[in-house]
Amino acid sequence: MKITRIETFLVPPRWLFCRVETDEGVVGWGEPVVEGRAEVVRAAVDVLAEYLVGQDPLRIQDHWQVLTKGGFYRGGPVLSSAVAGLDQALWDIAGKAYGAPVHALLGGPVRDRVRVYAWVGGDEPAELTEQIAAQVEAGFTAVKMNAAGATSPVPTAAETAAVVARVAAAREALGPDRDVAVDFHGRFTAAGARRVLAELAPLHPLFVEEPVVPEQGHLLAGLVAASPVPLATGERLYGRAEFLPVLAAGIAVAQPDLSHAGGISEVHRIASLAETYGAQLAPHCPLGPIALAASLQIAFATPNFLIQEQSRGIHYNKDADLLSYLVDTEPFRFVDGHASRGDAPGLGITIDEAAVRAADRTGHAWRNPVWRHLDGSFAEW
């Protein structure tokens, strides 16, 4: 079997899909994207395709080595995301060729269902009670929310109180038997995070995500030592080497993204590395159906898996949603806040190719907002 063609599709709301075709008619799908820079990743996929076309798609690990190291310069979000999507597609092909789901190729399932959470609150969370009530009604046992919008370097008493009040409202709506995770989104300085974390502790968050920006990972050990709340990070880390110091710092939850951190191959290794540090895995995935399908395959085969993010109803999905490009939506039917394990080969989903090609004709140019503080200076989004 040989790879004969690789195509990419820029599909709303903010995703990039890739399709890898073989001479035996087996097709694999992947989702290589950096949100807000999808066109740049598309170009990177085109360059990497020069190597892959003509190759045996089943030599996944060898291809991963060449794609990540063969160009001399390594790493970064664009290259790692291009490799990630192609890697997903190769695993999809392998599963279809062998007639098995990817989790079986990774050593077999360790669980029968995967706990998932829903997003509430948006980028600048305001009213939460109704949104949380709707997710509870839908059966979810956990939600995640942003802590705040643009945040002062050292939060004022009012800003701190507002964050605590929002999480308290979420806790009241959820009760003691459901979970709320809180995303700081790198919007806090270490000093600001330390102040707010102490206030949030009595509300028992499942975890607090990205307490500082990823380039300040050297500060995490101090935050872990000071925080009674489990800390999580990893959506902007792209490989084992970047996860090693933050795991050593003591984070409780590693959050690699299957569309950013080298795909199934690398995230499987990151999960094993996290296990040696006693950390849980909660893959980042506010993306499309292929990224989620790949994440679930990892979740079914990973002993130290905690919970899975998914984007149904997320505030970014304006022109399309998680289910928009699927022939059969059953793999993403969540019951009691869980996704059930399926035995369909590959990634376990069937992409509606006609819908993808039609969407690509429209495309998108999604960009994240640029925020500023009251004095006009740049603020982390």
Side-chain angles (χ1 to χ4, degrees):
M1 186 161 53
K2 303 295 182 186
I3 297 170
T4 55
R5 180 167 60 157
I6 296 176
E7 301 173 272
T8 54
F9 306 93
L10 202 64
V11 296
R14 57 179 192 155
W15 305 329
L16 182 72
F17 295 170
C18 70
R19 178 184 183 274
V20 178
E21 183 178 336
T22 70
D23 59 356
E24 294 187 9
V26 183
V27 171
W29 288 86
E31 193 169 333
V33 68
V34 173
E35 303 93 297
R37 299 291 185 267
E39 305 93 327
V40 184
V41 179
R42 185 178 218 176
V45 171
D46 289 343
V47 172
L48 297 178
E50 296 174 5
Y51 162 75
L52 282 176
V53 171
Q55 299 287 337
D56 176 357
L58 301 182
R59 297 189 62 180
I60 299 173
Q61 297 301 335
D62 184 62
H63 296 326
W64 193 92
Q65 296 292 320
V66 173
L67 294 177
T68 57
K69 302 173 183 177
F72 184 70
Y73 296 100
R74 308 179 185 191
V78 172
L79 176 61
S80 296
S81 298
V83 172
L86 290 166
D87 182 81
Q88 293 169 16
L90 295 182
W91 279 101
D92 194 25
I93 289 171
K96 292 170 180 174
Y98 295 127
V102 168
H103 66 257
L105 305 184
L106 294 174
V110 296
R111 58 182 50 83
D112 297 321
R113 61 179 193 160
V114 165
R115 190 185 187 201
V116 298
Y117 65 80
W119 260 95
V120 294
D123 274 332
E124 299 191 55
E127 295 299 324
L128 290 168
T129 303
E130 289 184 5
Q131 294 181 44
I132 291 173
Q135 300 298 353
V136 170
E137 178 69 21
F140 288 98
T141 63
V143 299
K144 189 169 81 175
M145 56 183 285
N146 276 318
T151 304
S152 300
V154 179
T156 64
E159 287 177 316
T160 301
V163 172
V164 175
R166 281 189 288 269
V167 180
R171 170 54 65 205
E172 182 176 0
L174 289 164
D177 297 322
R178 299 182 181 88
D179 284 311
V180 57
V182 183
D183 192 351
F184 280 18
H185 219 254
R187 295 170 185 171
F188 291 73
T189 61
R194 189 177 291 107
R195 171 174 286 177
V196 177
L197 285 166
E199 298 288 334
L200 291 180
L203 299 171
H204 207 82
L206 179 63
F207 56 77
V208 165
E209 179 175 335
E210 270 203 326
V212 291
V213 290
E215 57 267 34
Q216 292 179 352
H218 58 286
L219 301 178
L220 281 171
L223 284 176
V224 168
S227 175
V229 178
L231 299 185
T233 197
E235 70 184 73
R236 289 186 277 183
L237 303 177
Y238 310 116
R240 285 162 289 163
E242 292 181 319
F243 270 93
L244 182 59
V246 302
L247 288 166
I251 64 164
V253 183
Q255 298 177 295
D257 189 305
L258 270 288
S259 282
H260 301 329
I264 291 169
S265 295
E266 184 69 350
V267 172
H268 190 235
R269 293 185 283 259
I270 291 168
S272 295
L273 178 64
E275 188 178 15
T276 67
Y277 283 90
Q280 302 295 299
L281 191 79
H284 179 257
C285 190
L287 296 170
I290 307 171
L292 179 58
S295 298
L296 291 175
Q297 296 297 326
I298 286 286
F300 286 122
T302 298
N304 55 319
F305 168 82
L306 177 66
I307 197 167
Q308 179 60 55
E309 181 173 26
Q310 54 84 32
S311 70
R312 189 185 299 179
I314 201 170
H315 47 291
Y316 303 123
N317 295 352
K318 305 295 185 184
D319 303 314
D321 201 50
L322 181 64
L323 308 180
S324 297
Y325 303 107
L326 295 176
V327 171
D328 179 11
T329 61
E330 183 65 19
F332 297 151
R333 185 171 71 89
F334 305 132
V335 178
D336 297 330
H338 289 76
S340 297
R341 177 169 56 84
D343 294 319
L347 295 180
I349 58 172
T350 302
I351 294 295
D352 185 340
E353 186 172 326
V356 169
R357 292 186 183 276
D360 182 59
R361 288 194 287 271
T362 301
H364 68 83
W366 188 87
R367 302 289 184 265
N368 64 255
V370 175
W371 285 356
R372 295 192 179 276
H373 293 298
L374 293 176
D375 64 0
S377 61
F378 175 80
E380 290 286 344
W381 167 69

